Every structure is written in structure tokens, then in C-alpha cells.
Amino acid sequence: VEQETLEKLYGSSPKDQLTVEDNEVFRSQTGFPVSWHSDLKSVSANGCSIIIAHEFLDALPIHQFKKTDRGWREVLVDIEPDSDKNELRFVLAPTSTPATAFLQCVDIADDMTNLEICPSAGVVVKEIVERLDEHGGAALLVDYGRENGVSNHSLRAFREHKLHDVLIDPGTADITADVDFEHLKSVAANKVACYGPIPQGYFLHSLGISVRIKALLQSARSKEQANELLSGFEMLLSPKKMGMRFKVLTFAPHLQPAPPPFQKATAQSQGNVNSSDTEPE
């Protein structure tokens, strides 16, 4: 993935030039400087920060648990013993694992039998809001997500835009899990103002994507290109696709006006957004 990203940014450079060192600065094909960092702490905090995390949090490690007669047990990955192809399978840990300690920080309803948590997402968001609180700026998080806290297992994989078995051919598919936006908002509480999450379709519609698609269609060079534009437009906004599945959350300084797409939602809560609002005119 890193190699493909580098090639898109810098063009068809020799592979020996596409090795990234931490904090190294490159020039993109348009001449814009791009720095790579393995940790947010290594990024200079001089001045305010504008942070955009698009499909980043959903790729962080998760822990899944299942309720049993012996208490909560973590779901682990094991090798299928009866397979001669080293096929993988999910198994339950026979005893408590170190990750079980995270359950002490989660509100668990009595009727819940499955849990899924991502401690790493909370750590990253904590670093982001502390930076914003001290130096100013804003953050925009866009991801698959839910608003109702811990829930059933959501781990899944996609390959060529189709669902794919997570355990088959690992490394060939995009693995994702829903982001717990309710938890992230609790992490950010009192440090910054939180707006959202709101559906991606509503967010893009509020920013004028309908006007943008009309302009693009007018300049389309062929019917095929126009159809591709409309297909992408539908994918991004349709409530049955990414329009409702993706959520958008913003962190900004207190006492600042809410960003335009979030003005119908009050800080620390989501406004009442109808699914029909995600459809463009």
C-alpha cells in the first residue's frame, strides 16, 4: 500500500527512490512538499494544525469479545488444525487475555453478548485533541462508524468493492471495522468542541457537491466519463451506500461557530438529520 501511494504521489520514480524514512520530505508531482511521520508526536506543533483522517481510524487494531459462561473471552485468530493449507479460523481464548482489561472502561449492557473495541483510536484522538487544545486548529474525521457505542462485531473485508472473507488470502483485501464515534467524543470532551457525527451524504450535500457534479458533467469529454461521474456521485451520497454508512465528526476550538455542515447539530450531540437530507437535488 505504501509503495502504491508513493508512486501516485511522486510518479514513476525508480523503486530505490521510493523508500520513506520517518520525517523525510518529498515533493509531489505538483511540487507540494509531503512529509511522512510514523507518529503524530513527531509532527511539529508550531502554530495551529488542520488534521484530516479519512478511513484511518477504521484500519486501527480492534479487539473482539464474546460473552460465555466463564465470562468475557477474546476472539483470536488461529490456524485450522485439519487444514493442510494453513487456513485460518476464529477461536475463543480459553482464559482472560491482557486486552480483557479494556472492558473495565466500557459500559456494557446486561443483554450484550458481543463486544468490539478499538483502544488505539482513543489514543490517537486523545493526541489530536490535546494538540488542538494547546495550539489551536481543527480536525475532520471521516469513516465507517456507529454512534451507539460498543456493539456487535463489525470486522469485515472488501476486495474490488465486494465483501470478502477476512481470513481468506490476508493482505489482498481492505480490512475495516466500524469506528465508535461515541467513544471518541467522550475522549475529546472538555478539550474541544465536537460536532457530529453526521452522515457523509448530508455533509457533502451541505458543502455543495450537487453544484460540483453539475459542473463536472458539463465538462465531461464522453458519455462514459459522465456515467463514471454519476456512479461515483451515487456511491458517495446514496443512503444505501456510503451516504449513510460513512460518518463525519469534527473537533474545533470552543466558542467558535459550528462549521456550516454541522450547524444543524449542537456541540456534543448529533442533530436530527433525515436520510432524505442526504440526497442531492
Side-chain angles (χ1 to χ4, degrees):
V1 173
E2 181 183 89
Q3 188 73 21
E4 292 178 359
T5 302
L6 290 169
E7 290 176 355
K8 289 179 180 178
L9 278 173
Y10 310 123
S12 56
S13 301
K15 289 188 177 181
D16 58 357
Q17 295 182 20
L18 296 181
T19 300
V20 175
E21 299 293 336
D22 201 27
N23 302 340
E24 191 171 359
V25 179
F26 287 84
R27 290 280 175 180
S28 69
Q29 295 186 63
T30 59
F32 193 82
V34 178
S35 300
W36 295 79
H37 297 265
S38 58
D39 192 302
L40 184 60
K41 294 178 181 178
S42 68
V43 180
S44 173
N46 294 328
C48 68
S49 299
I50 301 299
I51 299 173
I52 300 175
H54 182 263
E55 288 194 76
F56 170 73
L57 298 172
D58 75 307
L60 296 177
I62 63 165
H63 295 276
Q64 291 185 338
F65 300 89
K66 190 173 183 63
K67 193 174 185 179
T68 71
D69 295 337
R70 297 167 294 163
W72 289 97
R73 292 293 182 263
E74 186 172 7
V75 179
L76 305 176
V77 177
D78 190 19
I79 296 177
E80 182 64 58
D82 298 328
S83 172
D84 57 357
K85 299 180 180 179
N86 290 329
E87 295 177 332
L88 303 177
R89 63 172 181 167
F90 288 116
V91 297
L92 290 181
T95 60
S96 295
T97 60
T100 308
F102 291 124
L103 298 182
Q104 300 176 10
C105 307
V106 178
D107 293 328
I108 304 174
D110 293 337
D111 60 347
M112 297 189 73
T113 58
N114 295 300
L115 289 174
E116 185 177 78
I117 60 175
C118 180
S120 298
V123 172
V124 171
V125 167
K126 184 174 183 292
E127 291 183 3
I128 290 175
V129 298
E130 287 178 348
R131 175 179 292 245
L132 299 181
D133 180 49
E134 184 174 355
H135 302 284
L140 183 71
L141 315 180
V142 185
D143 233 315
Y144 286 104
R146 56 181 185 265
E147 308 156 48
N148 57 349
V150 294
S151 68
N152 289 330
H153 299 167
S154 67
L155 181 68
R156 57 202 181 279
F158 291 94
R159 187 164 70 178
E160 297 179 354
H161 305 291
K162 296 180 181 179
L163 279 171
H164 179 77
D165 192 312
V166 175
L167 299 182
I168 294 180
D169 298 327
T172 65
D174 178 20
I175 297 179
T176 181
D178 286 350
V179 174
D180 184 356
F181 283 109
E182 192 66 30
H183 173 61
L184 301 187
K185 289 170 64 176
S186 69
V187 171
N190 302 323
K191 288 285 187 180
V192 294
C194 304
Y195 300 98
I198 59 175
Q200 174 179 278
Y202 177 79
F203 174 79
L204 294 175
H205 184 52
S206 300
L207 292 178
I209 192 173
S210 296
V211 176
R212 178 60 176 161
I213 189 64
K214 289 178 181 178
L216 291 173
L217 290 173
Q218 289 176 355
S219 60
R221 294 189 294 270
S222 65
K223 184 176 180 179
E224 181 181 35
Q225 186 181 44
N227 289 336
E228 289 179 355
L229 289 168
L230 289 172
S231 176
F233 181 79
E234 180 187 10
M235 176 68 74
L236 291 172
L237 271 76
S238 172
K240 297 180 180 179
K241 298 181 180 178
M242 296 169 65
M244 289 295 290
R245 199 73 180 85
F246 272 66
K247 302 292 191 296
V248 183
L249 177 67
T250 283
F251 301 138
H254 286 294
L255 305 178
Q256 295 292 323
F262 300 89
Q263 288 176 353
K264 288 187 179 181
T266 58
Q268 300 292 344
S269 66
Q270 179 180 340
N272 296 320
V273 180
N274 296 322
S275 61
S276 59
D277 288 335
T278 67
E279 291 285 10
E281 296 178 355

